[in-house]
Amino acid sequence: MLYFLFFCSGLSGLIYQVVWVRVFGNVFGNTVYSASIVVAVFMLGLGVGSYVIGAWADRRYATGPESLLRTYGYVEVVIATMGLGISLLLPHLDRVAALTSSYTREENGWYVVSTFSYLARGGMAIVLLTPITMLMGGTLTLLTRHLVRKQLDLAGWRIALLYGVNTLGAAAGCFLTDFALIPVAGLRAAQVVAVLLNLVAAAGALWLAWREPTTVRLKVELPNKSYVRSGFSRTSSDARALVATSAALALSGFAAMGMEILWFRHFTLLLGGFRAVFSLLLTIILIGMGVGSLLGGVLVRRTSRPAGWLMVVQSLFVGFTLLGLANADLDGIMAAGALAGTLSADAAARIVAELAFNARPILLEVGVPALLMGFAFPLANVIVQRAELSVGRRAGVLYLSNTSGAVCGSLATGFLLLPGLGMQRSATVLAIAAAGAVVPLYLAASVGPHDKRRVMPLVGSLLTSGAALWIWLMLPPGHLLTRTQVKLRADERLLTMSEGVNETIAVTEVPGRGRGLITNGHPMSSTALLDQRYMRALAHIPLLSIERPDTVLIIGFGVGNTAHAATRHPSIRRVEVADLSRQVLDHAGYFKGANGGVLNDQRIVVYINDGRQHLQMQPTGSYDLITLEPPPIAHAGVAALYSREFYALARSRLKPGGYLSQWLPAYQVPAETSLAMVRAFIDVFPQSVLLSGMRDELLIVGATGATIEIDPERVATALKRAPDVAADLSRLDLGTVTEIVGTFVGSADTLARATRKSPAVSDDRPLQEYAVRSVIASGLRGVPASMFDLSKVGAWCPRCFDDNRPTPAVAGLDTYLALLDQAYRAPGADVAAVASAPPGRRRILGSAYLGAVVPDTDAVHNVIGVTLLRAGRYGEAADAFREALKRRADSADANRNLGTALAESGQAAEATDYLRRAVQLDPGDGGAQHALGSLLLERREFAEAADHFRAALRAMPDSAGAHNDLGIALASLGQISEAIEHFRQAVTLEPEFEEGRRNLASALKARRHTGS
């Protein structure tokens, strides 16, 4: 039962760690530096606690060994209490973090977070996490001291069993946190579960302690007071063994944790930066370590040479690690993904397929090395555990050495090796460190009686490690990185590739299309015309609606499209750029042709920082516009820029009447997740509008004012005053007010209705990070149709319409939006290529072809025909309707409209045929019934005309024209009294209807004359 309780303790500890890294990311900023601070404090706390409490446990063992189990139970109670307190305190630390944060200016003029800020954050993390993590680390040595008494020959096995079950519990905690607890209940609830698990461990331990007979006392022999005080053997050989083994574990921890950081970077490139990928990787590592520890425990019971076996394990770790890295290949993984993607559409089956898809390459690369990592702690303990009274202290020394090495390995790999050497050469350094651990292990093995066989493991290990390193070094320099990159197109060329602290960056170029920025294997931004369209619209459209804006904040630089667009506005005096990647900004020069070297503009102020943290550091009312174009929304950490709390922070930093605009690539996540993200936005910005910069590249824009409206006259005036802006927009087919307003797809009311049943994304529930689990699902099309309603454009632009007709400032807006509506609704297979559009057609469509790529469907040709019909171009309109009928002969709309166009051009006979076909297809089409009746009336076919007018009135009972025309037909048939009733109804419906009034007077006169 005690081992089960320690399993629960390990499960709880990883829940805390996963959640705390997430929450501290929101508090300190989602940067690699902030995450490293939290992980370093956590791990060092574990190590220090294991040593301090282990030493105390040794002293307690000497005087009251039966109290150790009860002490463990009390420690778990204190951990639970502290865990609950931290969970309540953490979300409120952001203000404190902001107050203690500041910038320093570099020689190039860019601002970076000051050293004092990191020290302050480290101080906060130390104050909050050190006490609880020390207690967590101490539980291992406390239970080790409780279980390992006089039977030192069983010390290795019992320590291995403790360490193994605790590590397997940690693996379960890692998996459950990101695959169940946070997605279902949220971060806060996950911490409550961790607290409950601590209480379960505490209750179980106290119950076991209570069951032990209190009268039983263990007899502990105390050699002398100095030995009890120091806890170390009086022989120098024991001290040398402890020092040497500790050095070996420090090197092992350095290499193992450094390799974990490298694996995380590697799988970001291979599988994507998804939360599920990281969680599954850490879970598999922990499972491997836990199983390896148990196997190590079995081994130590069967060997008298633990140091030799640990040397062998280290050399095998080097070999299998390098082998796994060398064989990893993105093409093979993607082929497996394509196969997995063909599985059942059933949600449960797809989740299993995605997990299996992610797990396979991780297991192949990481499985065996992780297993070997687990052998280190139990084997090392067998080497040094030679005295009954120092078991806890020695186990603590080893654990502290291992965790200290691990912290150094993670920091060195993340901040020095990967940025300076890249993945492949970093793996070389880490492998050498792992192989180097055999030297102190040999020294530890030399402490015992002289034995020539102790040299054999050293030689064998060095030969194995050396051979693996020699083969590794024979690989081409770019082998590892090249095999993680998507193959370029035939016409695409790679301009540069580099690795930095946060990511791997590549710049590519396609002649005639532009240059692209690829981060961690994902296309992030580009200078392609259609990409520029929505990126620049993020700045242009809100700024055109603000009266003399002067300050803009851009979160996420990309290739500089948005920043350059903001600087085109003459009233702008300051544009702040916040980006946590220095590398992205360093590559801005590759895109100078599109961004105009914007970073050299004196109005640009660059901050190397997380955008949310930068906002937290600014005073309220700082900006006219905040615009965001974050990385892919399903990637780990990005949820912090799409949560309700972030939007509340951003709103507080806007001036009165300020705007927030954000890229919303809803196609990257399932529809329900898109709705949850929009729900969070409109909860804070109820005055909002959804725009389309390019097909499904959506922009969501919110305003702090009482309404959100665009004034066509103001926009037209602003364009005249800012020729640079007008030229930039014209280049993107947004040069007219019609085209700018034509980006509209959904009003605030439409968004509110679409999301009324959706939960909002929040810091506690980062839903989009769990919507996509792998690259299999990363292509999901999740743009919900319920967010689109182009007919509500008047809510955003009320001055664009006069009596439901577009004003001259936005001439043709109704047709433009109708065409775009067809484009948005068209399936991808129906989309027509721009190049195939006939010149005349392209002139009619204008930027609709370029901005949305209009599908070649009957509906589109029908809309084109209606446009021509309204313009009085009846022949061209008829041609468009005939094109629509070629694509769909049973289109009632196209038949009706073609009949109307033919009638207007004097071809009444042919028009009648098409109108008859229209009413056959749709008898409820009142317009077609009325039009056909009118033609029959002109042909003096009164009876049939009357039938069609009656059918028209069944569909349109309030049509004054139909009542009037039916009255004419009836009067012509001699049915004067019934005709009078319809004339009267026409006049009642429209009192100013002169023709109806005349017909009514004539009918009344005729009735008096005939006496009928």
Side-chain angles (χ1 to χ4, degrees):
M1 183 177 177
L2 188 59
Y3 291 113
F4 168 73
L5 297 178
F6 205 42
F7 176 90
C8 293
S9 181
L11 198 159
S12 169
L14 247 291
I15 293 175
Y16 285 130
Q17 182 178 352
V18 170
V19 172
W20 289 344
V21 170
R22 300 283 298 276
V23 178
F24 270 106
N26 291 338
V27 172
F28 292 160
N30 278 290
T31 66
V32 66
Y33 303 103
S34 298
S36 298
I37 288 172
V38 176
V39 173
V41 170
F42 192 97
M43 295 187 68
L44 284 176
L46 294 178
V48 172
S50 69
Y51 172 74
V52 172
I53 294 180
W56 177 88
D58 281 339
R59 294 193 296 271
R60 186 65 175 170
Y61 173 77
T63 58
E66 77 287 344
S67 66
L68 292 173
L69 183 57
R70 186 169 60 253
T71 302
Y72 167 72
Y74 293 147
V75 168
E76 289 286 0
V77 171
V78 177
I79 291 173
T81 304
M82 288 183 172
L84 183 61
I86 291 172
S87 71
L88 297 174
L89 181 62
L90 270 182
H92 305 289
L93 283 180
D94 50 359
R95 295 179 182 84
V96 178
L99 290 174
T100 59
S101 296
S102 60
Y103 288 110
T104 57
R105 189 175 183 181
E106 297 183 324
E107 292 183 3
N108 61 1
W110 295 356
Y111 290 87
V112 296
V113 178
S114 66
T115 302
F116 172 78
S117 302
Y118 287 117
L119 291 175
R121 294 172 190 181
M124 281 187 277
I126 289 170
V127 170
L128 278 175
L129 300 185
T130 298
I132 189 172
T133 54
M134 287 182 64
L135 292 176
M136 289 177 181
T139 58
L140 174 63
T141 46
L142 194 59
L143 287 183
T144 296
R145 178 68 276 180
H146 168 71
L147 290 172
V148 180
R149 296 175 180 175
K150 290 188 175 183
Q151 297 173 302
L152 291 180
D153 58 324
L154 296 177
W157 164 245
R158 288 178 174 171
I159 291 172
L161 194 55
L162 269 180
Y163 187 74
V165 297
N166 189 255
T167 304
L168 290 174
C174 179
F175 185 85
L176 291 174
T177 302
D178 274 328
F179 285 95
L181 296 178
I182 297 177
V184 172
L187 293 163
R188 193 173 298 110
Q191 293 174 89
V192 172
V193 170
V195 169
L196 293 175
L197 287 168
N198 289 132
L199 294 176
V200 167
L206 293 173
W207 181 71
L208 288 175
W210 174 76
R211 286 186 64 207
E212 288 186 355
T214 57
T215 57
V216 175
R217 291 292 182 269
L218 296 173
K219 183 179 179 181
V220 179
E221 298 178 1
L222 307 179
N224 58 53
K225 291 183 179 180
S226 63
Y227 181 81
V228 174
R229 190 182 310 113
S230 69
F232 292 108
S233 168
R234 287 168 293 182
T235 65
S236 59
S237 61
D238 274 5
R240 288 200 307 273
L242 182 62
V243 171
T245 307
S246 298
L249 277 195
L251 283 171
S252 174
F254 180 93
M257 184 56 70
M259 201 59 71
E260 283 189 35
I261 300 300
L262 192 149
W263 282 330
F264 276 105
R265 170 67 64 81
H266 195 212
F267 282 107
T268 298
L269 297 170
L270 291 173
L271 298 175
F274 304 109
R275 185 70 63 185
V277 172
F278 300 148
S279 298
L280 196 57
L281 174 58
L282 183 55
T283 298
I284 289 174
I285 291 173
L286 290 171
I287 290 174
M289 291 178 64
V291 174
S293 178
L294 298 178
L295 293 176
V298 174
L299 178 63
V300 299
R301 301 183 70 174
R302 290 168 170 79
T303 181
S304 59
R305 295 180 175 83
W309 277 105
L310 192 48
M311 284 187 257
V312 172
V313 166
Q314 284 299 113
S315 65
L316 291 176
F317 172 80
V318 172
F320 280 103
T321 297
L322 297 179
L323 178 66
L325 287 169
N327 286 331
D329 183 24
L330 181 61
D331 289 342
I333 292 175
M334 295 308 296
L339 178 62
T342 64
L343 296 179
S344 170
D346 176 73
R350 191 166 189 86
I351 290 173
V352 172
E354 291 172 23
L355 289 178
F357 166 74
N358 285 340
R360 182 178 180 275
I362 294 174
L363 280 169
L364 290 174
E365 183 172 331
V366 172
V368 175
L371 188 76
L372 295 169
M373 286 158 59
F375 281 78
F377 192 66
L379 286 172
N381 270 279
V382 175
I383 298 172
V384 303
Q385 296 294 0
R386 303 178 182 180
E388 179 187 356
L389 295 181
S390 62
V391 169
R393 188 188 302 267
R394 292 189 175 204
V397 169
L398 293 181
Y399 195 67
L400 176 58
S401 299
N402 191 250
T403 54
S404 298
V407 169
C408 294
S410 65
L411 296 177
T413 303
F415 298 125
L416 299 176
L417 297 181
L418 285 175
L421 301 177
M423 286 191 296
Q424 191 160 327
R425 287 186 290 175
S426 295
T428 305
V429 173
L430 295 171
I432 291 172
V438 303
V439 175
L441 287 173
Y442 173 75
L443 297 176
S446 301
V447 170
H450 181 73
D451 186 350
K452 293 181 179 179
R453 288 180 297 175
R454 69 191 179 200
V455 179
M456 294 174 59
L458 174 65
V459 175
S461 299
L462 291 176
L463 287 175
T464 302
S465 300
L469 280 164
W470 180 77
I471 295 172
W472 174 258
L473 292 172
M474 293 298 290
L475 296 174
H479 175 84
L480 191 59
L481 191 58
T482 301
R483 290 166 68 90
T484 63
Q485 299 299 308
V486 177
K487 289 189 181 299
L488 300 179
R489 294 165 35 180
D491 59 344
E492 187 176 12
R493 65 189 183 100
L494 180 66
L495 300 181
T496 185
M497 180 179 291
S498 62
E499 296 183 68
V501 174
N502 294 293
E503 68 280 291
T504 297
I505 285 184
V507 177
T508 63
E509 182 177 53
V510 177
R513 186 178 184 274
R515 293 183 173 183
L517 175 70
I518 300 174
T519 62
N520 289 330
H522 183 92
M524 191 67 62
S525 188
S526 87
T527 62
L529 197 61
L530 293 182
D531 290 339
Q532 288 195 51
R533 179 183 170 96
Y534 78 85
M535 295 174 192
R536 291 175 177 271
L538 279 167
H540 281 316
I541 293 178
L543 290 175
L544 288 170
S545 299
I546 302 173
E547 187 67 34
R548 298 195 62 77
D550 66 358
T551 309
V552 177
L553 169 63
I554 294 169
I555 298 177
F557 180 76
V559 300
N561 287 321
T562 308
H564 185 247
T567 61
R568 301 300 88 195
H569 292 258
S571 64
I572 296 297
R573 62 175 183 82
R574 182 181 178 89
V575 177
E576 295 180 7
V577 173
D579 199 307
L580 58 82
S581 174
R582 177 187 295 275
Q583 259 199 302
V584 167
L585 295 163
D586 285 339
H587 285 75
Y590 283 94
F591 309 97
K592 189 174 181 179
N595 65 36
V598 67
L599 291 182
N600 297 320
D601 191 311
Q602 294 188 356
R603 293 171 293 173
I604 294 284
V605 185
V606 175
Y607 295 91
I608 311 296
N609 196 8
D610 174 86
R612 178 166 174 162
Q613 178 67 12
H614 176 74
L615 268 179
Q616 192 69 255
M617 294 168 64
Q618 305 309 306
T620 58
S622 296
Y623 305 105
D624 294 290
L625 170 66
I626 299 172
T627 180
L628 301 92
E629 189 190 347
I633 54 182
H635 281 194
V638 181
L641 296 178
Y642 286 91
S643 71
R644 185 164 47 197
E645 290 82 357
F646 168 75
Y647 293 132
L649 170 64
R651 184 181 179 107
S652 70
R653 298 318 190 247
L654 287 171
K655 299 176 182 178
Y659 278 71
L660 174 70
S661 65
Q662 186 169 31
W663 179 49
L664 185 69
Y667 56 85
Q668 293 183 358
V669 290
E672 60 271 15
T673 307
S674 298
L675 293 173
M677 294 163 62
V678 173
R679 176 79 259 170
F681 190 93
I682 64 174
D683 277 353
V684 178
F685 290 95
Q687 296 302 322
S688 57
V689 63
L690 189 67
L691 310 177
S692 175
M694 182 197 74
R695 182 101 189 213
D696 45 10
E697 301 289 0
L698 302 178
L699 318 177
I700 189 165
V701 181
T704 60
T707 61
I708 182 168
E709 294 180 0
I710 188 168
D711 186 335
E713 294 183 0
R714 169 184 283 181
V715 171
T717 301
L719 290 175
K720 289 180 180 178
R721 292 175 177 173
D724 286 348
V725 174
D728 197 28
L729 287 169
S730 180
R731 183 175 59 88
L732 304 170
D733 290 296
L734 286 172
T736 67
V737 180
T738 297
E739 290 170 327
I740 292 171
V741 178
T743 59
F744 173 88
V745 293
S747 66
D749 288 342
T750 300
L751 297 179
R753 283 195 302 272
T755 61
R756 65 183 182 276
K757 296 182 180 179
S758 300
V761 170
S762 64
D763 288 347
D764 189 55
R765 297 287 304 282
L767 298 174
Q768 69 267 38
E769 290 194 359
Y770 300 98
V772 181
R773 288 164 291 276
S774 75
V775 292
I776 296 178
S778 62
L780 289 173
R781 291 281 168 174
V783 183
S786 58
M787 296 196 305
F788 283 55
D789 188 353
L790 279 67
S791 66
K792 303 298 183 183
V793 64
W796 184 43
C797 189
R799 295 179 181 83
C800 288
F801 295 90
D802 183 11
D803 194 21
N804 294 323
R805 307 266 312 174
T807 62
V810 288
L813 178 62
D814 51 350
T815 303
Y816 188 92
L817 289 174
L819 284 170
L820 291 178
D821 185 58
Q822 295 298 323
Y824 299 144
R825 297 176 188 277
D830 291 338
V831 175
V834 176
S836 65
R841 184 70 41 73
R842 198 178 306 174
R843 282 198 300 272
I844 295 167
L845 296 178
S847 64
Y849 252 115
L850 297 176
V853 190
V854 177
D856 186 19
T857 64
D858 64 292
V860 167
H861 288 281
N862 200 43
V863 172
I864 296 170
V866 170
T867 304
L868 296 166
L869 193 63
R870 289 175 179 169
R873 296 157 64 178
Y874 304 123
E876 293 177 70
D879 290 341
F881 295 133
R882 291 186 198 276
E883 289 293 325
L885 288 174
K886 286 180 182 178
R887 286 151 182 80
R888 185 183 166 197
D890 62 348
S891 170
D893 287 343
N895 276 284
R896 179 197 61 217
N897 291 333
L898 178 53
T900 303
L902 292 170
E904 292 290 345
S905 60
Q907 303 174 56
E910 190 179 2
T912 303
D913 292 338
Y914 282 105
L915 288 170
R916 287 189 193 279
R917 176 63 174 157
V919 299
Q920 288 174 358
L921 291 167
D922 185 6
D925 186 342
Q929 294 281 9
H930 192 183
L932 178 56
S934 298
L935 286 177
L936 294 171
L937 190 64
E938 292 180 5
R939 293 166 55 174
R940 305 184 64 80
E941 297 178 21
F942 302 123
E944 188 179 357
D947 291 339
H948 287 292
F949 290 137
R950 287 192 175 96
L953 286 172
R954 285 193 291 272
M956 309 180 301
D958 294 331
S959 172
H963 279 288
N964 180 67
D965 291 343
L966 177 55
I968 294 172
L970 292 171
S972 301
L973 292 170
Q975 300 173 32
I976 302 299
S977 295
E978 188 179 355
I980 288 173
E981 293 304 318
H982 284 286
F983 290 139
R984 280 180 173 158
Q985 187 65 26
V987 172
T988 301
L989 289 168
E990 291 188 23
E992 304 301 323
F993 188 12
E994 290 297 331
E995 182 182 348
R997 296 172 69 88
R998 289 196 302 271
N999 288 336
L1000 176 57
S1002 298
L1004 290 171
K1005 183 177 179 181
R1007 186 170 64 175
R1008 286 195 301 272
H1009 179 71
T1010 61
S1012 59

